[in-house]
Amino acid sequence: MTQAARQTTRDLRRHNRAALLSSLYLRGPVSRLELVAESGLSAATVTNVVSELIADGVVAEAGSVESDGGRPRTLLAVRPGFGHVVGVDVSETHVEVGLFDCALGTLGTVRHPLVGTRLDPDEVAGLVRTGIAEVLEDGDPDAVFGVGIGVPGAVRDGGIVHAPTLGWRGVNFAELIHPHIQAPLHLDNRARTLGQAESWRGAGRGAGRAIVALLGVGVGAAVATAGRSHPDITTSEWGHTVVKAAGAACRCGSHGCLEAYVGTEAVVRHYAGRVGKEPVIGDESDAELARIVAEAAQGGPAADVLAETGEYLGIGIANLINLLTPDRVVLSGSAGAIMGPAILPAVRDAVDRHALDYLAERTEVVLGTLGPEAVALGAATLPIAQLLANGGRIG
């Protein structure tokens, strides 16, 4: 066999491993028969690849299901204990670090508040390193095969961060972290990582095209479009689309942006203005938003502010529906978890009034399901994605 032929055969085996492992990870537990049907590969190829994955400790048998007229089918799943990953959420108000198993089960989390609106990259990196050390205190650092970090901005050239909300322009954030950790480092926009998490394990799973709204201090959106092996994720600056001409001032310098009405601190500020008090912002803004949501159940200014928030969020979602025709919109992020249940009816009502009828009727608006550590979990999908692309081989 020539070297070119050997290379082609090796590449084909690597491709088959990656495709089958991705399918198994994102849709599992599944049977060998289901993998054959979905992949289009022969039964012999699937059997050989699965046997390799089991021998490598990546995959394990996970029970069985009855089949029509035949023997029960054995189910397969990625083995949670194959290794661990760390996910880091760097937001405008805090750094949250989570330790997760290979199936994205949460093993531990820590959170450190950030103070100020122009945050020193070295100080933030120090909190990230501290958080990683804390979640690994009772674990085995050698079991960690990757660290993912989600940041509120664009990531270029492998780790250069442009994050206007943090006051960062061209910050080599990866260089501030990587020398201090053993595992490979992955950075990406936090809206994109959240979109990946909701598509893999949350409310976006199974959608042909899902829009995952990151509702936090800021507002972003990820578009997850179903692909052959895994969803394709893109992001947009949805929070800075204008929903009211000459409206409220936004921290981007414009006026009337969606973020100026539905971001955590925007809601807190609007409420404070209604009742004549100083707004509670920074790391305490989530707790203040939760208090406003609780107060809204009694009516009054809190209820009025949440009604307005739901209206503007519905307008923003209607614009997305008219532009991108998703079949599902997921309200996620910290603010989504806190106020989502309270404003969901108002959001849906606004969507019905502002989106084109024939598009709105094909789109469901739902709440995220991943809980408060959703963005850190999303960051943890970055090293997992690399593992899947490598066919379960680390390095």
Side-chain angles (χ1 to χ4, degrees):
M1 182 182 293
T2 66
Q3 183 175 352
R6 284 196 298 272
Q7 186 69 32
T8 301
T9 301
R10 189 161 51 246
D11 290 345
L12 181 60
R13 290 180 66 83
R14 184 184 302 115
H15 171 79
N16 289 343
R17 272 183 67 114
L20 289 174
L21 182 60
S22 296
S23 181
L24 195 156
Y25 190 90
L26 299 177
R27 295 166 179 80
V30 294
S31 67
R32 290 172 177 81
L33 188 61
E34 288 171 308
L35 288 175
V36 170
E38 184 170 299
S39 67
L41 298 173
S42 69
T45 297
V46 169
T47 296
N48 289 337
V49 171
V50 167
S51 296
E52 286 181 6
L53 292 170
I54 291 175
D56 291 345
V58 188
V59 170
E61 295 185 348
S64 62
V65 292
E66 296 295 327
S67 60
D68 297 331
R71 297 190 310 175
R73 286 177 290 147
T74 300
L75 296 178
L76 303 164
V78 169
R79 194 168 65 83
F82 177 70
H84 298 159
V85 289
V86 172
V88 182
D89 171 25
V90 177
S91 84
E92 297 89 340
T93 59
H94 65 266
V95 168
E96 183 169 31
V97 181
L99 179 66
F100 305 91
D101 64 30
C102 198
L104 292 176
T106 303
L107 302 176
T109 60
V110 296
R111 178 178 171 129
H112 293 282
L114 296 175
V115 180
T117 56
R118 290 294 181 264
L119 301 166
D120 182 78
D122 289 295
E123 294 181 10
V124 176
L127 290 178
V128 170
R129 296 194 300 266
T130 297
I132 292 173
E134 288 173 340
V135 297
L136 293 178
E137 264 183 0
D138 298 324
D140 178 10
D142 292 334
V144 175
F145 60 82
V147 174
I149 302 179
V151 296
V155 180
R156 300 286 185 267
D157 302 321
I160 307 299
V161 177
H162 301 269
T165 59
L166 299 181
W168 296 0
R169 185 178 180 85
V171 172
N172 193 340
F173 197 62
E175 186 60 32
L176 298 176
I177 304 293
H178 192 263
H180 302 273
I181 62 173
Q182 299 178 26
L185 182 65
H186 310 263
L187 272 76
D188 210 331
N189 175 271
R190 64 197 296 264
R192 185 180 184 279
T193 65
L194 177 63
Q196 188 154 275
E198 287 284 4
S199 297
W200 285 16
R201 289 289 187 264
R205 190 174 185 181
R209 177 178 294 161
I211 293 176
V212 179
L214 169 57
L215 305 178
V217 174
V219 175
V223 182
T225 305
R228 180 166 179 81
S229 59
H230 54 78
D232 178 52
I233 313 290
T234 59
T235 60
S236 71
E237 290 290 353
W238 174 55
H240 298 290
T241 56
V242 175
V243 293
K244 185 176 182 179
C250 180
R251 58 184 177 165
C252 73
S254 185
H255 287 77
C257 296
L258 179 65
E259 184 175 297
Y261 292 94
V262 306
T264 303
E265 291 190 358
V267 176
V268 168
R269 290 181 189 277
H270 288 312
Y271 170 79
R274 294 281 182 98
V275 299
K277 60 178 280 189
E278 284 296 314
V280 179
I281 58 175
D283 194 50
E284 299 300 318
S285 58
D286 280 353
E288 177 67 0
L289 180 60
R291 195 193 66 74
I292 293 169
V293 170
E295 183 182 315
Q298 310 303 318
D304 293 341
V305 168
L306 287 191
E308 182 180 83
T309 301
E311 177 71 14
Y312 281 116
L313 181 54
I315 291 171
I317 291 172
N319 290 337
L320 288 176
I321 290 172
N322 290 340
L323 283 168
L324 301 174
T325 63
D327 48 329
R328 194 174 305 160
V329 177
V330 181
L331 307 185
S332 192
S334 58
I338 294 167
M339 67 180 177
I343 67 173
L344 185 60
V347 172
R348 287 172 170 166
D349 178 67
V351 167
D352 288 341
R353 287 184 283 108
H354 294 289
L356 293 172
D357 290 348
Y358 72 96
L359 296 178
E361 68 187 12
R362 293 160 46 191
T363 305
E364 56 178 345
V365 181
V366 301
L367 300 177
T369 60
L370 297 179
E373 71 265 9
V375 182
L377 179 72
T381 67
L382 298 177
I384 294 288
Q386 187 63 57
L387 179 74
L388 299 181
N390 291 342
R393 293 192 168 97
I394 296 172

